[in-house]
């Protein structure tokens, strides 16, 4: 039976991928990240290399932004759904904070709100997140909305944490449906900000506290990334290529990360607890370089503008 107003194809994909409790895992994909040997391949590989993570591929729905990404998804995976983007072009690498990037991020929030509206809980995961252990064992049972952090301050309730929209677990209920609508509509108040920055702007609003939305922030000790590593290989659940600019840089360091993980997995059990391996990734330096370039360019533009006006 079809719910009124929802695409029957989407209903079918969600139903086929759903866990018994109506939970799905969702990621989004465009052509640039779907190329052979790129991010999507590494993402899928992580489920095979992770500790008891392969089964989650049965519940993973890949939302594709363009025809090429959709064809590539269908060649590798069974649950793919192409979003209608009405003339938008999301095929190339969407550079951070460009108009294409912002539009794609907000289209994603809108889509996830629809999934909640349809009665499905979801774990949203960026494709540049490697799944190394079962995250469900680490989620808080009483939370409506729980989200990973770029930087975690040690207090899971503290709204001053720096959330990262690339990984969250959301239960479908009246509070979360209302919250996602409010988040999406808040883009109009902050037209130059992306979803994550807008979340930081609205997370302390009385509208959210009044709706009694239960928010929890996930520790980087388990849900780590390149901004703040999950240092203990015996605890890590996911690792995100955040604080890393450029597709080539991400691909390079995610390959290194999976090699680090393979070496750890190959250790005898007694050595796993005694050894203290560390991640060999260095992409965070690209984040600093990109910031420096941006500041240099701003300075050059200012000097040029002064030269023109003088």
């Amino acid at each position: 039976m079809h719910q009124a107003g929802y695409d029957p194809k989407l209903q079918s994909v969600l139903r086929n991928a759903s866990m018994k409790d109506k939970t799905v895992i969702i990621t989004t994909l465009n052509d640039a990240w779907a190329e052979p040997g790129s991010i999507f391949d590494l993402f899928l590989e992580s489920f095979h290399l992770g500790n008891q993570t392969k089964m989650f591929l049965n519940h993973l729905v890949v939302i594709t932004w363009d025809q090429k990404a959709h064809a590539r998804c269908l060649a590798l995976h069974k649950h793919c759904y192409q979003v209608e983007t009405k003339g938008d072009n999301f095929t190339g690498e969407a550079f951070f904070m460009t108009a294409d990037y912002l539009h794609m991020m907000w289209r994603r929030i809108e889509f996830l709100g629809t999934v909640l509206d349809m009665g499905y809980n979801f774990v949203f995961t960026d494709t540049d997140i490697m799944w190394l252990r079962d995250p469900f064992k680490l989620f808080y049972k009483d939370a409506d909305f729980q989200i990973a952090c770029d930087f975690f301050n040690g207090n899971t309730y503290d709204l001053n944490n720096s959330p990262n929209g690339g990984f969250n677990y959301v239960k479908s209920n009246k509070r979360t449906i209302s919250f996602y609508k409010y988040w999406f509509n808040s883009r109009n108040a902050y037209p130059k900000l992306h979803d994550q920055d807008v979340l930081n702007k609205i997370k302390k609003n009385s509208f959210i506290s009044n709706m009694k939305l239960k928010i929890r922030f996930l520790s980087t000790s388990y849900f780590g990334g390149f901004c703040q590593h999950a240092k203990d290989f015996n605890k890590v659940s996911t690792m995100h290529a955040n604080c890393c600019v450029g597709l080539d840089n991400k691909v390079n360091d995610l390959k290194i990360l999976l090699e680090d993980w393979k070496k750890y997995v190959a250790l005898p059990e007694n050595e796993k607890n005694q050894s203290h391996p560390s991640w060999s990734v260095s992409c965070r330096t690209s984040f600093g370089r990109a910031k420096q370039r941006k500041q240099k360019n701003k300075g050059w533009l200012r000097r040029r503008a002064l030269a023109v006006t003088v």
Side-chain angles (χ1 to χ4, degrees):
M1 203 172 95
H2 298 314
Q3 292 167 281
Y6 299 123
D7 181 358
K9 274 188 196 166
L10 177 58
Q11 290 181 31
S12 173
V13 169
L14 292 175
R15 191 168 52 246
N16 290 336
S18 177
M19 299 176 196
K20 284 177 184 170
D21 66 348
K22 284 195 85 175
T23 299
V24 289
I25 299 163
I26 296 175
T27 195
T28 54
L29 186 66
N30 71 345
D31 178 38
W33 285 34
E35 288 287 324
S38 192
I39 301 273
F40 187 49
D41 285 9
L42 296 169
F43 176 66
L44 295 178
E45 187 184 353
S46 78
F47 284 89
H48 291 278
L49 295 174
N51 185 347
Q52 297 181 321
T53 48
K54 190 177 174 183
M55 62 182 174
F56 292 122
L57 288 170
N58 296 322
H59 307 294
L60 172 69
V61 176
V62 180
I63 306 304
T64 59
W65 296 120
D66 58 79
Q67 190 52 51
K68 273 181 84 175
H70 193 65
R72 175 93 175 120
C73 177
L74 289 171
L76 297 175
H77 189 63
K78 58 184 174 182
H79 305 303
C80 308
Y81 176 76
Q82 188 174 351
V83 168
E84 187 61 53
T85 52
K86 292 175 186 156
D88 297 320
N89 181 6
F90 294 147
T91 53
E93 182 181 355
F95 292 100
F96 188 62
M97 293 310 292
T98 58
D100 277 352
Y101 175 87
L102 290 173
H103 192 36
M104 194 158 74
M105 293 302 100
W106 286 116
R107 186 71 186 85
R108 181 176 89 181
I109 294 295
E110 185 181 31
F111 178 82
L112 292 173
T114 302
V115 172
L116 292 173
D117 228 16
M118 292 170 74
Y120 287 92
N121 317 306
F122 64 77
V123 174
F124 177 78
T125 172
D126 272 346
T127 323
D128 62 344
I129 291 178
M130 303 294 102
W131 282 53
L132 305 173
R133 277 193 184 85
D134 178 358
F136 287 90
K137 293 174 181 175
L138 298 164
F139 290 143
Y140 298 99
K141 300 283 181 280
D142 62 338
D144 297 316
F145 174 82
Q146 38 202 312
I147 187 165
C149 299
D150 283 334
F151 299 96
F152 180 67
N153 68 13
N155 181 351
T156 181
Y157 292 100
D158 189 356
L159 291 171
N160 293 311
N161 278 298
S162 306
N164 186 300
F167 189 88
N168 44 65
Y169 174 40
V170 190
K171 290 177 184 169
S172 174
N173 57 41
K174 282 180 184 171
R175 293 182 297 279
T176 55
I177 290 166
S178 179
F179 167 61
Y180 264 75
K181 281 178 184 156
Y182 178 64
W183 188 2
F184 180 68
N185 290 331
S186 295
R187 79 197 185 286
N188 298 318
Y190 306 99
K192 291 185 178 172
L193 298 185
H194 63 80
D195 57 318
Q196 197 170 296
D197 283 344
V198 171
L199 175 61
N200 271 324
K201 294 281 186 190
I202 66 171
K203 65 189 178 184
K204 294 181 183 178
N205 282 12
S206 57
F207 180 82
I208 292 173
S209 50
N210 289 342
M211 74 164 73
K212 303 281 191 283
L213 181 79
K214 294 176 191 147
I215 302 175
R216 297 292 285 270
F217 297 90
L218 299 168
S219 169
T220 48
S221 296
Y222 303 100
F223 302 93
F226 294 173
C227 298
Q228 198 171 54
H229 291 181
K231 292 188 174 72
D232 189 342
F233 278 52
N234 295 306
K235 288 182 180 174
V236 61
S237 178
T238 60
M239 277 288 281
H240 188 181
N242 52 9
C243 287
C244 183
V245 176
L247 181 57
D248 291 345
N249 287 329
K250 281 183 186 279
V251 168
N252 183 52
D253 264 27
L254 286 174
K255 282 179 179 173
I256 292 168
L257 185 147
L258 289 181
E259 286 306 314
D260 288 343
W261 178 254
K262 281 187 212 168
K263 284 176 197 163
Y264 161 77
V265 169
L267 289 171
E269 283 307 311
N270 60 327
E271 276 186 48
K272 279 181 185 167
N273 295 323
Q274 288 159 11
S275 69
H276 299 284
S278 60
W279 303 106
S280 313
V281 294
S282 61
C283 188
R284 193 172 168 192
T285 55
S286 73
F287 203 59
R289 283 197 302 270
K291 271 188 173 172
Q292 282 167 356
R293 267 201 307 275
K294 206 172 173 185
Q295 280 158 357
K296 255 187 200 170
N297 289 343
K298 269 187 185 170
W300 180 80
L301 286 169
R302 258 198 305 272
R303 287 195 299 277
R304 190 164 176 263
L306 283 168
V308 169
T309 53
V310 169

